[in-house]
Amino acid sequence: MKRSAWIALIFIWLAFAGSAVISRSTFDRLPHLEDEFAYLYQARVFAHGDVYAPVYRPVRAYWQPFLVNLGDERVGKYTPGWPLVLAIGVLFEQPWIITAWLGMLTVAVVYRLGRDVFNPETGAVAALLTAASPGALLLSGTLMGHTATLFFVTLFFWAMWRLEHGTHRLAWSVTAGASLGMVILTRPLSAVGIVAPFVVYSVARVLWDALQHSVQTGWQTLKPLMVLGLLAVAISLLWPAFNYTVAAKTDESFPSFLTRFVENEPDTNLYWYIWKYDLIGFGEGHGRVQGGHTPELGWKHAKQDLACAAHDLFGWAEPAQETVDLTRNQCAETGRGYSWLLIPLGLLMGMPRKWTWLFAAVPVTLVGAYVAYWIGGRLYSARYYSEAITAVALVSAYGLTALVALIVRGYKRLGGPSPFGFTPAWLLYAALIGVTLYSLVVYTPARLKPLDGYGNINQDQIDDFNALREQPDKPVLLLVWGEHHWRDVGAFMALTDPFLDSDIVLARDPDAAYLDDILARWPDREHIFLIDGEFTHTPPEQDTDGD
């Protein structure tokens, strides 16, 4: 193996270790956002070999956020791509390991991509930037789908490069098509922003080859791109097929449903069963504000998210000045962020290389796509832009390595020290290692600290509960009685299987109206009650205080 490959291997395992530590220490390997609950629920349904789970009654007793009830069928509202992948981890009873695994694979692929497009040094630096990115590490410690999307996006980039420059074009077109299909199936709007520069570039390639060479040459360029497109479309059809399975009328054909799905009919999209205003675009009905979403609001969100990205992309930012207000969906409240510093240098050094500009176009079109969405996302970093992390890392890495190469050549011409001696070029690499260590040791822990136990969901609550179990080997029903917020018992909600056959089953009685029905359903389980925030074995009606 080349020296750069050994170095990249260290960064690959750094990404896995970072994800493993963060998923345990910060997030307790539990879902915290409503999105994560819905993803995990649907992944468990898929792992069970089903498309949907039953709706158990009373409905409020077994409610979970972002789930859709359709008659007797219950599903998560999101597209099925990420739950399908997460289901692999569910089968092994370790969902967290999927994001950790995909995070390390992303670092591996970005190294190979940087090596192929630029040089091995660029690949290794891009691998370091990606592995140590606070935004990437944060997301890989959660159960969100962004890490999976970033992996498939990066694999798509690499397959597109090999499709243009390598052999086995059919195999690489299949890889690119499958990767793009999974991006669409996981985060459709991100797919639009990611693929836009490549559509323009591919059309230009076909036309150039046809006009400058021959129609036959243009056709040879087009054929693998057609395979790519057809496969991507075929995989993306799993989204409307999933919706059709659970949401279509019994007498409606799939082609009819697909037509209405393409036309954005509300009853074909599970997103809209929760929030009717959760629409892409501008005007009345798009978003929560009166009059609807506007381009001005979209640009305001973009500026806020870009400021967050300037901190969280590589962690090159001033120390935090004040506490993060999580209730306002804020990013780290710090001074200026400098994660963008190497981008202009990368564009300058890579100006003659068309793929430099192709990578640089990705974050631009991705930001542009999300201007049309009514809300930003900064609590879990600038997550709507996270799919561009590797593209920005590649441009930034090339800026540094090209500058190093320029300095080394200059020293050789002047008769100075060899590249392995003490030169300003090596000082640049030392500076990169220094700011990376600062990011890992100072910035990232401070960035993650406010998220520790976010939403009152943590492992301590589960440990306290398990300590009260009188028969640890016997399954238990936890019944929450009286008024409460669902987050107060979110940790137990995360442990409850969609088919209610898990070791711990959570049932809620916020109206104090279902107690007898719930207890009658679970006569063979140990019963523990949560009343006014206290665990007890005494049912509410037997409370000696008469509450």
Side-chain angles (χ1 to χ4, degrees):
M1 291 173 61
K2 296 182 179 179
R3 179 175 57 182
S4 61
W6 283 109
I7 294 173
L9 191 60
I10 296 173
F11 302 150
I12 290 167
W13 283 106
L14 170 66
F16 182 85
S19 176
V21 170
I22 291 169
S23 67
R24 170 57 72 193
S25 62
T26 301
F27 298 107
D28 289 322
R29 294 178 182 165
L30 294 169
H32 288 70
L33 295 187
E34 291 91 333
D35 314 56
E36 294 176 273
F37 279 92
Y39 285 135
L40 182 59
Y41 181 94
Q42 192 61 45
R44 285 171 169 162
V45 172
F46 286 149
H48 195 268
D50 293 285
V51 177
Y52 53 82
V55 175
Y56 295 98
R57 305 183 190 281
V59 174
R60 290 199 65 182
Y62 307 104
W63 175 93
Q64 289 194 27
F66 285 2
L67 300 185
V68 178
N69 295 332
L70 301 167
D72 294 328
E73 303 169 359
R74 173 175 284 179
V75 295
K77 78 168 189 173
Y78 289 105
T79 55
W82 172 230
L84 281 170
V85 178
L86 186 60
I88 301 171
V90 171
L91 289 172
F92 289 98
E93 299 182 354
Q94 299 291 340
W96 69 272
I97 205 169
I98 299 302
T99 49
W101 180 53
L102 291 173
M104 70 182 296
L105 285 179
T106 300
V107 176
V109 174
V110 80
Y111 164 71
R112 289 298 305 269
L113 178 58
R115 191 184 76 176
D116 289 354
V117 176
F118 300 108
N119 51 57
E121 294 77 15
T122 299
V125 172
L128 173 61
L129 294 175
T130 303
S133 166
L137 285 171
L138 189 160
L139 287 167
S140 68
T142 72
L143 296 179
M144 298 292 281
H146 300 275
T147 301
T149 312
L150 178 61
F151 166 70
F152 288 118
V153 164
T154 310
L155 186 59
F156 170 73
F157 292 161
W158 188 32
M160 287 294 291
W161 168 266
R162 297 302 295 265
L163 179 60
E164 181 180 356
H165 296 90
T167 56
H168 309 294
R169 299 173 72 196
L170 178 60
W172 285 110
S173 65
V174 170
T175 303
S179 301
L180 179 58
M182 287 303 299
V183 175
I184 298 171
L185 203 60
T186 305
R187 295 193 57 78
L189 185 54
S190 295
V192 173
I194 292 294
V195 79
F198 288 89
V199 170
V200 174
Y201 177 69
S202 297
V203 170
R205 277 187 59 217
V206 172
L207 292 177
W208 176 267
D209 287 346
L211 296 175
Q212 292 296 316
H213 301 285
S214 66
V215 174
Q216 182 63 26
T217 303
W219 172 244
Q220 293 300 319
T221 303
L222 178 62
K223 280 195 299 184
L225 295 173
M226 291 177 62
V227 172
L228 184 163
L230 289 173
L231 184 56
V233 169
I235 292 175
S236 64
L237 284 176
L238 290 175
W239 177 20
F242 170 69
N243 290 6
Y244 172 76
T245 302
V246 297
K249 299 176 182 178
T250 56
D251 59 347
E252 183 175 18
S253 66
F254 178 67
S256 171
F257 183 89
L258 182 60
T259 299
R260 296 195 302 110
F261 178 85
V262 173
E263 294 173 351
N264 287 322
E265 293 292 334
D267 65 336
T268 64
N269 193 334
L270 297 178
Y271 271 76
W272 300 338
Y273 280 73
I274 302 292
W275 293 340
K276 301 297 183 184
Y277 54 81
D278 197 7
L279 302 171
I280 299 168
F282 307 102
E284 192 68 45
H286 297 73
R288 295 174 177 173
V289 299
Q290 186 175 3
H293 186 49
T294 64
E296 292 77 16
L297 279 175
W299 178 235
K300 177 183 177 182
H301 294 154
K303 288 190 291 184
Q304 293 171 340
D305 288 359
L306 286 170
C308 182
H311 296 82
D312 287 354
L313 179 60
F314 302 135
W316 302 345
E318 297 175 18
Q321 300 298 318
E322 57 183 276
T323 303
V324 180
D325 184 359
L326 298 179
T327 62
R328 297 175 57 191
N329 191 34
Q330 289 186 352
C331 191
E333 291 291 331
T334 70
R336 292 181 179 276
Y338 300 100
S339 296
W340 53 268
L341 274 178
L342 289 177
I343 298 176
L345 182 61
L347 294 176
L348 177 64
M349 294 295 186
M351 189 176 298
R353 297 172 177 265
K354 54 189 177 182
W355 270 74
T356 302
W357 296 98
L358 195 55
F359 289 140
V362 167
V364 175
T365 53
L366 187 62
V367 171
Y370 276 100
V371 166
Y373 195 46
W374 60 275
I375 191 172
R378 298 181 301 283
L379 178 63
Y380 274 10
S381 188
R383 59 189 180 94
Y384 291 162
Y385 304 156
S386 62
E387 290 84 5
I389 287 175
T390 50
V392 177
L394 285 162
V395 174
S396 300
Y398 186 66
L400 181 66
T401 58
L403 180 60
V404 167
L406 186 64
I407 293 173
V408 169
R409 287 197 298 269
Y411 261 63
K412 282 185 175 181
R413 289 175 184 155
L414 294 174
S418 71
F420 300 99
F422 184 77
T423 71
W426 291 107
L427 289 178
L428 290 175
Y429 283 133
L432 175 64
I433 293 172
V435 295
T436 300
L437 288 174
Y438 165 82
S439 174
L440 290 172
V441 176
V442 178
Y443 180 84
T444 299
R447 175 68 176 94
L448 293 171
K449 186 176 180 180
L451 293 170
D452 189 1
Y454 168 67
N456 198 30
I457 297 172
N458 56 72
Q459 182 65 35
D460 292 343
Q461 193 178 27
I462 298 173
D463 294 339
D464 292 343
F465 170 80
N466 284 327
L468 290 176
R469 296 174 67 169
E470 297 176 344
Q471 304 177 62
D473 296 331
K474 184 177 182 179
V476 61
L477 167 71
L478 171 60
L479 197 154
V480 188
W481 190 83
E483 293 185 5
H484 62 278
H485 193 281
W486 71 265
R487 284 192 172 276
D488 296 335
V489 290
F492 303 99
M493 192 176 285
L495 301 180
T496 302
D497 186 82
F499 299 90
L500 303 185
D501 57 4
S502 48
D503 176 54
I504 297 174
V505 166
L506 171 70
R508 302 163 59 238
D509 190 4
D511 304 318
Y514 319 124
L515 182 63
D516 293 338
D517 291 341
I518 293 172
L519 293 180
R521 183 185 186 91
W522 308 104
D524 299 326
R525 285 180 174 255
E526 179 182 355
H527 296 165
I528 298 179
F529 303 89
L530 183 62
I531 304 172
D532 295 331
E534 298 292 334
F535 293 114
T536 177
H537 285 86
T538 305
E541 64 270 26
Q542 298 178 13
D543 193 326
T544 57
D545 294 331
D547 293 338

